[in-house]
Amino acid sequence: MIALGILLVLVLLLVVFGLLFRIQILTSIFSGSSAREIGTSNRVNAILFIIFMIVGGAAFAYSFIENYGKMNPPIASVHGFEMERLFWTTMIIIGIVFVLTHILLFVYSYKYQHKEGRRAYFFPHNNKIEIIWTVIPAIVMAGLVFAGWKEWTKITGPAPKDSVVLEVMGKQFNWLVRYPGRDQKLGVVNYRLIDATNEFGFDLSDKSGLDDFVAGEIHVPKGHPVLLKIRSRDVLHAVYMPHFRVQMYAVPGMPTKFWFTPTKTTDEMRAQLGNPKFNYELACNQICGRGHFAMKLNIVVDEPDDYVAWFAQQKSFSEQNPDVLANFQQKSDKLVEKENASAAAAVVTQAAKASL
Ligand SMILES: [Cu+2]
């Protein structure tokens, strides 16, 4: 409350100072001393505008060219090319407008600096200009939005039926990966079951979860659609796979998804880049806490045969954690016992009733 009061006082003081400043300017204009007030500062400012435009523009161009490679890693997915085309069409159109308007902004600030005896041209309104600069941007923007919307619905539409499915779950601070196993069905998970061993919260009383396996890195086959099912265990994260031009939020309590088709294996990309240590990566792209910077996972794009071989080698979670499985079996045994007992009780009560 006190802080609010102090803030209010400061704001009011600023307003008072502003008004005093205006009054001072107005009195100096009326007393005819405004010319003396301007001095050389106007000229200095005008020159600074031009310097800012040249130095700022050069610095921007340098940083853009220098980082172009980092911002645009080679594309390794089918939809990536279309997205890239849309992105650069938009960038070029708005880039041209941005550069032109900013050159005009700085050059006019220089050109129309204060000059003794020159009066501003009074130009209150012009319908023709208003129409031109409203209609043209509206048409261009509508075209860009329509093209983006069309592509986006295609990318985020239903995944092909034969997609390789895997689930990625973000947590502070790493990614957990789960594959559906041979039955191609992800088993039921329940966040209440999460503990140090059962990080995913597997509910192993669900049979389709018995062959699910977790992996330390993502493996996907080249040339085959991959459906990522995305979840978060705690806060907002984002799945970001720059080479595949994939980005999607991982939202706690709200599963999201993204499907894509990889076009180059890890080995092919290593050869293309001349970097034998290259790995595709999944990085978190949403500041999610102090360990955010380290939240990344390797992705391996295999030839389909290698992918099948890798898949066959994986051991299911239930196989690797017999204790967890035994726990669930015990629980379900107890449940059966309980059901049997209540069935027996019903029979007994009926028998008791009959004997009465
Ligand atoms: Cu993060």
Side-chain angles (χ1 to χ4, degrees):
M1 207 58 206
I2 295 171
L4 198 73
I6 293 172
L7 195 74
L8 202 69
V9 169
L10 282 176
V11 169
L12 286 174
L13 270 178
L14 272 177
V15 172
V16 169
F17 280 131
L19 288 173
L20 280 176
F21 184 64
R22 274 186 69 86
I23 291 170
Q24 195 229 337
I25 291 173
L26 286 174
T27 43
S28 70
I29 288 170
F30 284 123
S31 64
S33 61
S34 66
R36 266 179 281 128
E37 295 292 321
I38 287 163
T40 53
S41 71
N42 202 274
R43 178 141 191 84
V44 171
N45 277 331
I47 293 166
L48 281 177
F49 265 105
I50 295 297
I51 293 174
F52 184 81
M53 179 181 75
I54 294 167
V55 175
F60 171 75
Y62 169 77
S63 109
F64 185 81
I65 294 163
E66 188 70 13
N67 293 298
Y68 182 83
K70 277 183 225 154
M71 293 189 293
N72 294 279
I75 300 170
S77 71
V78 172
H79 76 270
F81 291 94
E82 192 55 28
M83 260 177 104
E84 196 81 345
R85 199 180 58 82
L86 261 175
F87 177 79
W88 284 109
T89 315
T90 312
M91 278 299 269
I92 289 166
I93 293 172
I94 61 174
I96 291 170
V97 177
F98 176 83
V99 170
L100 280 181
T101 47
H102 280 75
I103 288 176
L104 290 179
L105 175 72
F106 293 117
V107 169
Y108 281 2
S109 301
Y110 176 81
K111 194 173 170 202
Y112 295 110
Q113 61 183 281
H114 173 78
K115 241 192 208 126
E116 207 57 59
R118 182 165 68 190
R119 292 192 72 92
Y121 176 54
F122 184 63
F123 188 75
H125 191 75
N126 183 317
N127 276 336
K128 206 167 142 191
I129 292 179
E130 292 278 349
I131 288 170
I132 290 172
W133 70 39
T134 307
V135 171
I136 293 179
I139 291 172
V140 175
M141 292 306 279
L144 288 177
V145 168
F146 180 74
W149 168 77
K150 214 175 110 202
E151 192 54 33
W152 185 244
T153 26
K154 207 163 83 191
I155 293 169
T156 54
K161 285 232 162 55
D162 61 338
S163 299
V164 164
V165 179
L166 63 132
E167 185 178 56
V168 182
M169 181 159 79
K171 76 177 234 293
Q172 287 173 318
F173 293 99
N174 60 356
W175 294 100
L176 305 175
V177 184
R178 174 164 78 122
Y179 284 78
R182 276 167 213 289
D183 65 355
Q184 292 299 315
K185 259 194 218 151
L186 284 165
V188 172
V189 281
N190 183 344
Y191 73 95
R192 286 170 200 269
L193 298 170
I194 291 173
D195 59 28
T197 8
N198 191 355
E199 283 204 297
F200 247 100
F202 279 103
D203 180 349
L204 294 180
S205 54
D206 174 33
K207 294 278 177 290
S208 54
L210 288 178
D211 62 347
D212 288 10
F213 64 86
V214 292
E217 54 185 10
I218 293 178
H219 277 253
V220 288
K222 174 187 154 182
H224 201 86
V226 176
L227 170 63
L228 284 182
K229 293 190 164 184
I230 302 163
R231 290 198 296 140
S232 165
R233 218 173 86 167
D234 36 43
V235 298
L236 196 63
H237 301 279
V239 166
Y240 176 51
M241 294 153 61
H243 295 84
F244 306 112
R245 302 299 193 265
V246 166
Q247 178 166 309
M248 183 52 75
Y249 279 128
V251 190
M254 192 182 99
T256 51
K257 63 185 171 62
F258 203 118
W259 75 270
F260 67 101
T261 307
T263 52
K264 272 177 203 161
T265 64
T266 299
D267 288 339
E268 283 168 346
M269 192 54 99
R270 281 178 182 170
Q272 183 184 331
L273 296 172
N275 175 8
K277 285 186 183 153
F278 168 82
N279 269 317
Y280 290 116
E281 68 170 29
L282 184 170
C284 179
N285 200 11
Q286 179 71 36
I287 308 274
C288 57
R290 65 166 65 163
H292 164 71
F293 70 95
M295 211 173 142
K296 71 165 193 170
L297 192 72
N298 273 353
I299 304 167
V300 182
V301 180
D302 293 312
E303 289 292 350
D305 290 347
D306 297 339
Y307 172 75
V308 171
W310 172 82
F311 196 94
Q313 277 172 11
Q314 301 307 306
K315 284 209 167 127
S316 70
F317 174 81
S318 61
E319 205 180 327
Q320 283 186 312
N321 297 278
D323 307 352
V324 181
L325 182 63
N327 228 334
F328 274 99
Q329 267 160 355
Q330 239 174 31
K331 260 193 234 161
S332 65
D333 286 350
K334 266 189 200 153
L335 209 69
V336 171
E337 261 171 43
K338 223 170 144 189
E339 274 168 12
N340 286 346
S342 60
V347 173
V348 171
T349 0
Q350 261 177 9
K353 268 185 197 161
S355 70
L356 281 173

